[in-house]
Amino acid sequence: MALLAEAKRIAAEFEFTDEQVQRTVTEFIAQMNEGLEKNATYMSQIPTYVTGVPNGTEKGLYLAVDLGGTNFRVCSIQLNGDTTFNIIQEKVAIPRELMEAKTAKQLFGFLAKQIELFLQTHHEDQFVSNIKRRQTVSTPEGYRDEHIFRLGFTFSFPVHQIGINKGTLIRWTKGFNIPDAVGQDVCALLQKEIDLLRLPVRVSALVNDTVGTLMARSYTSPGKTSTLLGAIFGTGTNGAYVEKLSKITKSMEGEFDKSTGEMVVNTEWGSFDNGLRVLPNTKYDQILDNDSVNPGIQMFEKRISGMFLGEILRLVLVDIMKTSSVALFRDDNSSHNDLRSTTTIAPDAPLFKQWAVDSSILSHAEADSSVGLRSLRLEIEKSLGVSAPSYEDAEAVKIIAHAIGIRAARLAGVAIGAIVLATGRLESAASGPDTSNPKSTDAIIEDVKKLNLAEAATATANKLVNTSGVAVNEDEVVDIGVDGSLVEFYPGFEDYMREAIRATEGIGAAGDRKIRIGIAKDGSGVGAALIALVAAKMEKPEGDYIGDLRRAAALAGGEGEEEGLEFSPTDGKYLKP
């Protein structure tokens, strides 16, 4: 029993109360606003130059490519205009030598070649007809295409974005090291290699995968209202949302469409509260941070994302094992283990290796309600390297894993609730009296005792509305798109998030019912294509060069036209092509 008591004591350290939720929401909004006003803040609040989101009626064929690590993915997405799409995709491994190439041209030339092979394989008709056009039409800028594939480029490395399709590489990560690419515009690097191959492709958008999640959800979302937020809760965590342009007061480089009055902002909320003003901070959080590659950075992410939750659990378990009075994964003899065996752990077990415990064990612990916790015990053996764990061992792991998981979900709820409040979406969608923060039952009883019967009656009515589950008008829905392993596979993650959202002042149960949370898949594919679509709408129309030729020919009297000569406005006469 000492083990379970210790597990419950430690679990209590991870409790994240409603009062803490409220304080954290308030601080989150303050840091959001600070990031909109200036640079070098905890939350970067990066303008994306994407000034519109889709509504599901868009049509067209678009390309998307994703360079996010050791693989390169090429996709074509046919948007059907009815919230559905068809996707064709191929993935190729990046050769190791190109990850450390001498020049950027070598890597980006390889990427362009994969795009060419993809078009030849899957879009041969458009590809061949375009090549024919290129052989017959010329302009001062080179060859002009009647049909151009707009491409969204998901580039998952740190960049300084200065336009919807412009961004300079800050540094390489994930094993890449090509020094001469640093400081260069990655879209221009890819476009140059595409043009050398004379492909019918324009790099229209530089894409962040979180922004892509927002766009993908907005296209596929049911209902009338556009999506407010795209959020990822997986290996890492981040969010991108639609903000009023008037609230983005820090300077922005580059041109963008101001007509919508809005812009998608990439929050980079993983770094929220790096100064630890309000975030919970157990000794296990401190150990994890101190031993990480980036101490003091990404403090919000280190309490939420899948990359870190397994390590937090591991640190707790190892700490308990150091307590001689508590027998975790330790038996005096076989009679103390319900398996009639003794628990053993190899010296090189994952339990003793930093970052070796996958966060999926938390999902297994949350899901297992079997007799004797058989499923969790198998997972403990597999993920921790603990042979023959007892039922009490598994109970302790389940208690601690549950506490870590709930805290992560409630912190995720803070981010969602804060953005819903900061953008005023609930206010703009509201109809009828405000019931988001009804009086407590005790407060209503006090009103009755003081004979404030009118106030008591109103408060009682508001409380009934708040908790009754009344149907929400579709126009009042605030739509949120989410992606990532935690929201997909951790049982009840959304429910725990919503508990925190309901505890937020200004939202409550009534507001929570208006928040629709749905899975948004493939932000780097479908989402990137949709950003390319938005970018295409922003493009300035090009001049009618063929028309200019014809008008020039008419002014010249048409001489030479029948001979098939080509008129040169520069020379003022027909020349042999």
Side-chain angles (χ1 to χ4, degrees):
M1 295 302 291
L3 173 57
L4 295 186
E6 180 67 2
K8 290 173 182 177
R9 185 192 67 78
I10 293 175
E13 295 181 23
F14 288 92
E15 184 179 358
F16 190 58
T17 66
D18 288 354
E19 290 76 18
Q20 287 176 291
V21 166
Q22 188 55 55
R23 286 199 302 272
T24 309
V25 166
T26 301
E27 181 65 23
F28 198 101
I29 293 173
Q31 293 189 24
M32 282 177 64
N33 291 333
E34 185 181 29
L36 294 172
E37 296 167 1
K38 59 186 179 181
N39 294 316
T41 57
Y42 288 148
M43 289 178 63
S44 300
Q45 294 285 76
I46 301 169
T48 66
Y49 299 87
V50 177
T51 56
V53 295
N55 59 21
T57 63
E58 292 82 0
K59 295 181 179 180
L61 181 63
Y62 295 85
L63 293 180
V65 296
D66 179 7
L67 181 64
T70 57
N71 292 311
F72 181 63
R73 185 167 66 125
V74 186
C75 318
S76 64
I77 295 93
Q78 178 67 54
L79 304 173
N80 299 322
D82 57 359
T83 76
T84 69
F85 59 86
N86 299 90
I87 184 169
I88 301 171
Q89 57 187 320
E90 286 191 2
K91 186 182 291 187
V92 61
I94 304 292
R96 182 67 202 177
E97 62 270 19
L98 291 182
M99 295 174 67
E100 299 179 348
K102 292 182 178 179
T103 66
K105 178 178 175 61
Q106 292 172 279
L107 173 65
F108 285 89
F110 172 82
L111 304 183
K113 187 64 179 178
Q114 304 315 306
I115 296 170
E116 179 184 47
L117 294 172
F118 181 87
L119 291 175
Q120 289 174 336
T121 303
H122 299 289
H123 299 284
E124 185 179 11
D125 291 345
Q126 293 100 321
F127 182 79
V128 172
S129 62
N130 184 80
I131 293 299
K132 289 178 179 178
R133 281 194 292 272
R134 283 176 174 271
Q135 292 171 345
T136 58
V137 179
S138 64
T139 69
E141 308 88 36
Y143 287 87
R144 167 136 325 148
D145 310 304
E146 294 176 30
H147 181 96
I148 292 181
F149 286 100
R150 266 65 175 186
L151 179 145
F153 182 17
T154 299
F155 185 76
S156 299
F157 300 89
V159 295
H160 173 54
Q161 190 160 358
I162 53 177
I164 197 164
N165 68 340
K166 295 179 181 178
T168 56
L169 176 64
I170 297 172
R171 64 182 178 276
W172 289 106
T173 58
K174 306 173 186 178
F176 282 76
N177 183 26
I178 309 172
D180 86 327
V182 175
Q184 293 201 58
D185 180 353
V186 294
C187 289
L189 288 172
L190 181 58
Q191 187 68 64
K192 181 179 180 180
E193 298 305 318
I194 287 172
D195 291 343
L196 287 174
L197 293 175
R198 297 172 66 176
L199 302 180
V201 176
R202 176 179 296 163
V203 182
S204 295
L206 180 61
V207 179
N208 170 277
D209 57 355
T210 311
V211 180
T213 297
L214 167 61
M215 303 296 278
R217 174 63 184 179
S218 193
Y219 184 79
T220 59
S221 170
K224 302 176 183 178
T225 56
S226 62
T227 302
L228 169 65
L229 167 68
I232 294 177
F233 300 108
T235 304
T237 184
N238 192 17
Y241 72 103
V242 181
E243 182 59 276
K244 296 182 181 68
L245 269 174
S246 60
K247 289 187 68 176
I248 308 173
T249 56
K250 63 184 177 183
S251 61
M252 285 187 284
E253 304 174 51
E255 297 180 357
F256 55 91
D257 178 13
K258 298 180 177 66
S259 64
T260 66
E262 296 178 330
M263 181 178 286
V264 175
V265 171
N266 169 19
T267 66
E268 292 295 338
W269 73 32
S271 286
F272 163 63
D273 197 27
N274 279 346
L276 296 178
R277 294 173 190 166
V278 293
L279 283 178
N281 194 32
T282 70
K283 72 173 185 178
Y284 307 106
D285 296 308
Q286 295 170 37
I287 294 169
L288 180 142
D289 180 53
N290 290 335
D291 293 344
S292 70
V293 296
N294 55 350
I297 306 296
Q298 297 296 98
M299 301 304 268
F300 191 59
E301 184 171 72
K302 285 172 179 173
R303 287 150 178 78
I304 292 180
S305 72
M307 180 179 289
F308 301 102
L309 298 184
E311 178 65 7
I312 294 174
L313 175 63
R314 189 191 74 83
L315 289 170
V316 173
L317 297 178
V318 170
D319 189 51
I320 294 175
M321 291 174 66
K322 293 176 182 177
T323 306
S324 59
S325 60
V326 178
L328 173 65
F329 305 140
R330 188 174 72 242
D331 304 305
D332 291 335
N333 56 62
S334 60
S335 68
H336 290 80
N337 188 316
D338 62 311
L339 295 178
R340 293 297 179 262
S341 182
T342 53
T343 305
T344 56
I345 313 173
D348 61 347
L351 181 61
F352 299 132
K353 294 180 181 177
Q354 186 186 27
W355 312 115
V357 177
D358 191 89
S359 294
S360 61
I361 190 173
L362 279 79
S363 297
H364 285 280
E366 188 70 20
D368 190 9
S369 57
S370 63
V371 176
L373 296 177
R374 293 188 188 115
S375 177
L376 176 56
R377 290 160 85 173
L378 287 173
E379 188 62 29
I380 289 171
E381 190 157 347
K382 173 186 170 185
S383 295
L384 302 182
V386 177
S387 176
S390 69
Y391 174 64
E392 192 176 20
D393 291 335
E395 274 191 297
V397 171
K398 185 176 177 69
I399 289 168
I400 296 163
H402 176 72
I404 295 169
I406 283 186
R407 189 186 71 164
R410 286 173 69 83
L411 283 167
V414 163
I416 293 174
I419 286 177
V420 169
L421 282 178
T423 55
R425 277 294 183 95
L426 281 178
E427 296 170 18
S428 61
S431 61
D434 178 20
T435 64
S436 60
N437 295 291
K439 283 189 174 182
S440 67
T441 302
D442 289 341
I444 294 172
I445 292 172
E446 281 300 311
D447 280 336
V448 173
K449 288 179 180 178
K450 295 176 182 178
L451 298 180
N452 296 330
L453 301 182
E455 286 188 30
T458 301
T460 301
N462 287 346
K463 194 172 185 69
L464 288 171
V465 169
N466 192 274
T467 58
S468 62
V470 175
V472 174
N473 188 307
E474 183 60 37
D475 293 330
E476 298 179 326
V477 168
V478 179
D479 193 77
I480 309 291
V482 295
D483 192 14
S485 55
L486 286 173
V487 286
E488 278 200 83
F489 303 120
Y490 187 96
F493 194 85
E494 181 182 334
D495 295 334
Y496 296 134
M497 280 199 308
R498 285 188 178 275
E499 284 181 4
I501 292 171
R502 287 192 293 272
T504 301
E505 185 178 337
I507 299 180
D512 174 60
R513 283 199 300 276
K514 296 176 183 178
I515 298 172
R516 177 172 56 208
I517 299 175
I519 295 293
K521 295 299 294 180
D522 201 8
S524 63
V526 177
L530 287 159
I531 297 175
L533 179 151
V534 171
K537 292 180 179 179
M538 294 168 54
E539 292 172 5
K540 294 178 180 178
E542 297 179 0
D544 181 8
Y545 186 73
I546 302 303
D548 292 342
L549 285 179
R550 288 171 178 162
R551 282 187 288 275
L555 289 173
E559 61 186 29
E561 198 166 13
E562 292 182 3
E563 287 80 12
L565 301 178
E566 186 172 270
F567 184 77
S568 167
T570 304
D571 296 298
K573 60 184 179 181
Y574 283 92
L575 302 173
K576 290 183 179 181

